[in-house]
Amino acid sequence: FAASHPDRTGRVILVDPAGFAAMFDGESPVNFYPSTVEEMQKLLTYVIHSDFAHTPEFAAQALAGLQASGDAATAERVFAGLFASPRLEEVLPKVKAPTLVVWGREDRLFPVALAPYIAELVRGARVQVIDNASHFPQVDAPEAFNAAVAAFLAE
């Protein structure tokens, strides 16, 4: 959106973004459509750093919630669109808005080493790494995440 509509974009915040070319190479380390507690628990260890999410009990609740919500079908459609979309490397250089790239230092899905690479694709983009956070820093460290976002938006 920001690349196609710069006149309608004031600021951009990318949080551990998906869609760059390297993520399509090889097999995923996790099943994004878990159907068992074990698969859900493995997925959670990759995307949530907080200990509360690493128990079989929490994985069972998360799986039950996923199955009850119907979000798995929605996620499959989102991923299908992601695979058909241009890669971030093609789109981000067209973004002109001030951009903040937020990354969880403990992200096992997309390592924090990718953050500077993604930021280099947008002229002037900054990186904010959130400690003790994984792929969803807004879940693992909401105070630090909210402070980073609020500060960026207040500029």
Side-chain angles (χ1 to χ4, degrees):
F1 184 89
S4 299
H5 304 283
D7 57 317
R8 297 172 62 191
T9 306
R11 293 189 175 272
V12 174
I13 301 171
L14 301 171
V15 182
D16 290 74
F20 47 90
M23 73 170 272
F24 296 96
D25 294 340
E27 293 210 19
S28 173
V30 295
N31 179 1
F32 289 104
Y33 316 112
S35 59
T36 68
V37 171
E38 293 77 20
E39 287 177 340
M40 178 59 84
Q41 191 168 9
K42 183 175 182 182
L43 174 60
L44 290 169
T45 64
Y46 272 77
V47 298
I48 304 289
H49 181 67
S50 301
D51 289 339
F52 75 84
H54 298 165
T55 66
E57 296 78 18
F58 185 85
Q61 287 181 329
L63 181 63
L66 177 68
Q67 291 169 336
S69 71
D71 283 351
T74 302
E76 286 187 55
R77 284 189 226 103
V78 168
F79 274 103
L82 183 62
F83 278 85
S85 298
R87 304 295 172 245
L88 289 180
E89 291 88 343
E90 300 169 39
V91 184
L92 288 180
K94 299 174 187 172
V95 172
K96 303 301 179 217
T99 301
L100 176 66
V101 178
V102 181
W103 219 281
R105 186 175 306 280
E106 312 303 327
D107 190 341
R108 292 181 60 202
L109 193 57
F110 303 140
V112 70
L114 291 168
Y117 167 70
I118 296 298
E120 287 175 11
L121 296 171
V122 181
R123 185 181 183 130
R126 292 186 315 218
V127 173
Q128 175 72 50
V129 176
I130 306 289
D131 291 327
N132 299 311
S134 185
H135 191 66
F136 296 111
Q138 65 272 36
V139 172
D140 284 318
E143 297 85 7
F145 178 83
N146 290 340
V149 168
F152 177 69
L153 293 176
E155 293 176 2

PDB file of all heavy atoms in Angstrom, residues 9 16 19 21 36 53 71 74 77 85 93 99-100 114 121 145 147-148 150-151:
ATOM      1  N   THR A   9       0.055   7.702   2.624  1.00  0.00           N
ATOM      2  CA  THR A   9       0.825   7.011   3.660  1.00  0.00           C
ATOM      3  C   THR A   9       1.689   8.015   4.401  1.00  0.00           C
ATOM      4  O   THR A   9       2.589   8.610   3.816  1.00  0.00           O
ATOM      5  CB  THR A   9       1.718   5.924   3.025  1.00  0.00           C
ATOM      6  OG1 THR A   9       0.911   5.060   2.227  1.00  0.00           O
ATOM      7  CG2 THR A   9       2.424   5.122   4.096  1.00  0.00           C
ATOM      8  N   ASP A  16       8.629  -7.494  12.223  1.00  0.00           N
ATOM      9  CA  ASP A  16       9.088  -8.819  11.811  1.00  0.00           C
ATOM     10  C   ASP A  16       8.378  -9.251  10.524  1.00  0.00           C
ATOM     11  O   ASP A  16       7.700 -10.272  10.493  1.00  0.00           O
ATOM     12  CB  ASP A  16       8.839  -9.855  12.915  1.00  0.00           C
ATOM     13  CG  ASP A  16       9.733  -9.662  14.122  1.00  0.00           C
ATOM     14  OD1 ASP A  16       9.506  -8.725  14.907  1.00  0.00           O
ATOM     15  OD2 ASP A  16      10.661 -10.460  14.266  1.00  0.00           O
ATOM     16  N   GLY A  19       7.515 -11.882   3.672  1.00  0.00           N
ATOM     17  CA  GLY A  19       7.361 -11.502   2.278  1.00  0.00           C
ATOM     18  C   GLY A  19       8.664 -11.232   1.555  1.00  0.00           C
ATOM     19  O   GLY A  19       8.653 -10.872   0.386  1.00  0.00           O
ATOM     20  N   ALA A  21      12.316 -12.438  -0.154  1.00  0.00           N
ATOM     21  CA  ALA A  21      12.628 -13.597  -0.995  1.00  0.00           C
ATOM     22  C   ALA A  21      13.179 -14.793  -0.213  1.00  0.00           C
ATOM     23  O   ALA A  21      12.790 -15.933  -0.473  1.00  0.00           O
ATOM     24  CB  ALA A  21      13.605 -13.196  -2.098  1.00  0.00           C
ATOM     25  N   THR A  36      -2.183 -30.541  15.506  1.00  0.00           N
ATOM     26  CA  THR A  36      -1.968 -31.263  16.756  1.00  0.00           C
ATOM     27  C   THR A  36      -1.389 -30.307  17.798  1.00  0.00           C
ATOM     28  O   THR A  36      -0.823 -29.264  17.454  1.00  0.00           O
ATOM     29  CB  THR A  36      -0.976 -32.436  16.582  1.00  0.00           C
ATOM     30  OG1 THR A  36       0.329 -31.896  16.306  1.00  0.00           O
ATOM     31  CG2 THR A  36      -1.420 -33.380  15.457  1.00  0.00           C
ATOM     32  N   ALA A  53       3.745 -19.257  26.886  1.00  0.00           N
ATOM     33  CA  ALA A  53       3.261 -19.877  25.649  1.00  0.00           C
ATOM     34  C   ALA A  53       3.924 -21.210  25.338  1.00  0.00           C
ATOM     35  O   ALA A  53       3.617 -21.824  24.323  1.00  0.00           O
ATOM     36  CB  ALA A  53       3.463 -18.923  24.483  1.00  0.00           C
ATOM     37  N   ASP A  71      -9.839 -19.438  11.810  1.00  0.00           N
ATOM     38  CA  ASP A  71      -8.715 -18.640  11.326  1.00  0.00           C
ATOM     39  C   ASP A  71      -7.734 -19.439  10.480  1.00  0.00           C
ATOM     40  O   ASP A  71      -7.001 -18.860   9.684  1.00  0.00           O
ATOM     41  CB  ASP A  71      -7.963 -17.993  12.490  1.00  0.00           C
ATOM     42  CG  ASP A  71      -8.694 -16.778  13.043  1.00  0.00           C
ATOM     43  OD1 ASP A  71      -9.678 -16.340  12.420  1.00  0.00           O
ATOM     44  OD2 ASP A  71      -8.273 -16.274  14.099  1.00  0.00           O
ATOM     45  N   THR A  74      -8.575 -18.880   6.951  1.00  0.00           N
ATOM     46  CA  THR A  74      -8.210 -17.514   6.584  1.00  0.00           C
ATOM     47  C   THR A  74      -6.704 -17.402   6.400  1.00  0.00           C
ATOM     48  O   THR A  74      -6.229 -16.794   5.435  1.00  0.00           O
ATOM     49  CB  THR A  74      -8.685 -16.524   7.665  1.00  0.00           C
ATOM     50  OG1 THR A  74     -10.099 -16.651   7.804  1.00  0.00           O
ATOM     51  CG2 THR A  74      -8.320 -15.102   7.322  1.00  0.00           C
ATOM     52  N   ARG A  77      -5.519 -18.645   3.087  1.00  0.00           N
ATOM     53  CA  ARG A  77      -5.765 -17.685   2.003  1.00  0.00           C
ATOM     54  C   ARG A  77      -4.755 -16.545   2.046  1.00  0.00           C
ATOM     55  O   ARG A  77      -4.292 -16.074   1.020  1.00  0.00           O
ATOM     56  CB  ARG A  77      -7.191 -17.156   2.074  1.00  0.00           C
ATOM     57  CG  ARG A  77      -8.193 -18.174   1.569  1.00  0.00           C
ATOM     58  CD  ARG A  77      -9.585 -17.553   1.429  1.00  0.00           C
ATOM     59  NE  ARG A  77     -10.532 -18.484   2.019  1.00  0.00           N
ATOM     60  CZ  ARG A  77     -11.110 -18.384   3.207  1.00  0.00           C
ATOM     61  NH1 ARG A  77     -10.913 -17.357   3.955  1.00  0.00           N
ATOM     62  NH2 ARG A  77     -11.916 -19.303   3.653  1.00  0.00           N
ATOM     63  N   SER A  85       2.286 -12.501  -4.159  1.00  0.00           N
ATOM     64  CA  SER A  85       2.593 -11.072  -4.127  1.00  0.00           C
ATOM     65  C   SER A  85       4.057 -10.804  -4.457  1.00  0.00           C
ATOM     66  O   SER A  85       4.902 -11.682  -4.291  1.00  0.00           O
ATOM     67  CB  SER A  85       2.307 -10.511  -2.734  1.00  0.00           C
ATOM     68  OG  SER A  85       0.956 -10.640  -2.411  1.00  0.00           O
ATOM     69  N   PRO A  93      11.758  -0.509  -1.748  1.00  0.00           N
ATOM     70  CA  PRO A  93      12.479   0.666  -2.257  1.00  0.00           C
ATOM     71  C   PRO A  93      11.558   1.771  -2.782  1.00  0.00           C
ATOM     72  O   PRO A  93      11.985   2.922  -2.920  1.00  0.00           O
ATOM     73  CB  PRO A  93      13.344   0.089  -3.380  1.00  0.00           C
ATOM     74  CG  PRO A  93      13.557  -1.335  -2.987  1.00  0.00           C
ATOM     75  CD  PRO A  93      12.234  -1.746  -2.357  1.00  0.00           C
ATOM     76  N   THR A  99       9.898   5.206   7.949  1.00  0.00           N
ATOM     77  CA  THR A  99       9.629   3.796   8.217  1.00  0.00           C
ATOM     78  C   THR A  99      10.415   3.317   9.433  1.00  0.00           C
ATOM     79  O   THR A  99      11.596   3.604   9.572  1.00  0.00           O
ATOM     80  CB  THR A  99       9.979   2.936   6.991  1.00  0.00           C
ATOM     81  OG1 THR A  99       9.189   3.382   5.876  1.00  0.00           O
ATOM     82  CG2 THR A  99       9.723   1.462   7.234  1.00  0.00           C
ATOM     83  N   LEU A 100       9.726   2.578  10.282  1.00  0.00           N
ATOM     84  CA  LEU A 100      10.330   1.938  11.441  1.00  0.00           C
ATOM     85  C   LEU A 100      10.210   0.432  11.256  1.00  0.00           C
ATOM     86  O   LEU A 100       9.122  -0.074  10.988  1.00  0.00           O
ATOM     87  CB  LEU A 100       9.605   2.365  12.726  1.00  0.00           C
ATOM     88  CG  LEU A 100      10.076   1.698  14.021  1.00  0.00           C
ATOM     89  CD1 LEU A 100      11.507   2.113  14.362  1.00  0.00           C
ATOM     90  CD2 LEU A 100       9.124   2.048  15.164  1.00  0.00           C
ATOM     91  N   LEU A 114      18.050 -10.188   9.961  1.00  0.00           N
ATOM     92  CA  LEU A 114      17.351  -9.711   8.764  1.00  0.00           C
ATOM     93  C   LEU A 114      16.863  -8.266   8.910  1.00  0.00           C
ATOM     94  O   LEU A 114      16.587  -7.605   7.910  1.00  0.00           O
ATOM     95  CB  LEU A 114      16.163 -10.615   8.445  1.00  0.00           C
ATOM     96  CG  LEU A 114      16.517 -12.011   7.964  1.00  0.00           C
ATOM     97  CD1 LEU A 114      15.282 -12.903   7.959  1.00  0.00           C
ATOM     98  CD2 LEU A 114      17.120 -11.944   6.566  1.00  0.00           C
ATOM     99  N   LEU A 121      16.281  -1.445   2.606  1.00  0.00           N
ATOM    100  CA  LEU A 121      15.461  -1.370   1.403  1.00  0.00           C
ATOM    101  C   LEU A 121      14.613  -0.096   1.344  1.00  0.00           C
ATOM    102  O   LEU A 121      14.119   0.272   0.279  1.00  0.00           O
ATOM    103  CB  LEU A 121      14.549  -2.599   1.308  1.00  0.00           C
ATOM    104  CG  LEU A 121      15.275  -3.940   1.145  1.00  0.00           C
ATOM    105  CD1 LEU A 121      14.288  -5.096   1.275  1.00  0.00           C
ATOM    106  CD2 LEU A 121      15.997  -3.998  -0.190  1.00  0.00           C
ATOM    107  N   PHE A 145       7.299  -2.458  23.027  1.00  0.00           N
ATOM    108  CA  PHE A 145       6.768  -2.316  21.666  1.00  0.00           C
ATOM    109  C   PHE A 145       5.937  -1.033  21.551  1.00  0.00           C
ATOM    110  O   PHE A 145       6.145  -0.225  20.641  1.00  0.00           O
ATOM    111  CB  PHE A 145       5.920  -3.535  21.309  1.00  0.00           C
ATOM    112  CG  PHE A 145       5.299  -3.445  19.946  1.00  0.00           C
ATOM    113  CD1 PHE A 145       6.016  -3.797  18.816  1.00  0.00           C
ATOM    114  CD2 PHE A 145       3.991  -2.996  19.796  1.00  0.00           C
ATOM    115  CE1 PHE A 145       5.444  -3.699  17.556  1.00  0.00           C
ATOM    116  CE2 PHE A 145       3.419  -2.900  18.544  1.00  0.00           C
ATOM    117  CZ  PHE A 145       4.142  -3.251  17.415  1.00  0.00           C
ATOM    118  N   ALA A 147       5.980   1.619  23.401  1.00  0.00           N
ATOM    119  CA  ALA A 147       6.822   2.804  23.567  1.00  0.00           C
ATOM    120  C   ALA A 147       7.553   3.133  22.267  1.00  0.00           C
ATOM    121  O   ALA A 147       7.629   4.302  21.867  1.00  0.00           O
ATOM    122  CB  ALA A 147       7.825   2.590  24.704  1.00  0.00           C
ATOM    123  N   ALA A 148       8.079   2.121  21.597  1.00  0.00           N
ATOM    124  CA  ALA A 148       8.783   2.338  20.330  1.00  0.00           C
ATOM    125  C   ALA A 148       7.841   2.882  19.264  1.00  0.00           C
ATOM    126  O   ALA A 148       8.175   3.834  18.548  1.00  0.00           O
ATOM    127  CB  ALA A 148       9.429   1.041  19.855  1.00  0.00           C
ATOM    128  N   ALA A 150       4.873   4.414  19.739  1.00  0.00           N
ATOM    129  CA  ALA A 150       4.372   5.742  20.128  1.00  0.00           C
ATOM    130  C   ALA A 150       5.420   6.825  19.865  1.00  0.00           C
ATOM    131  O   ALA A 150       5.097   7.902  19.353  1.00  0.00           O
ATOM    132  CB  ALA A 150       3.953   5.748  21.602  1.00  0.00           C
ATOM    133  N   ALA A 151       6.668   6.537  20.194  1.00  0.00           N
ATOM    134  CA  ALA A 151       7.735   7.503  19.956  1.00  0.00           C
ATOM    135  C   ALA A 151       7.889   7.793  18.462  1.00  0.00           C
ATOM    136  O   ALA A 151       8.034   8.952  18.050  1.00  0.00           O
ATOM    137  CB  ALA A 151       9.056   7.000  20.547  1.00  0.00           C
TER     138      ALA A 151
END
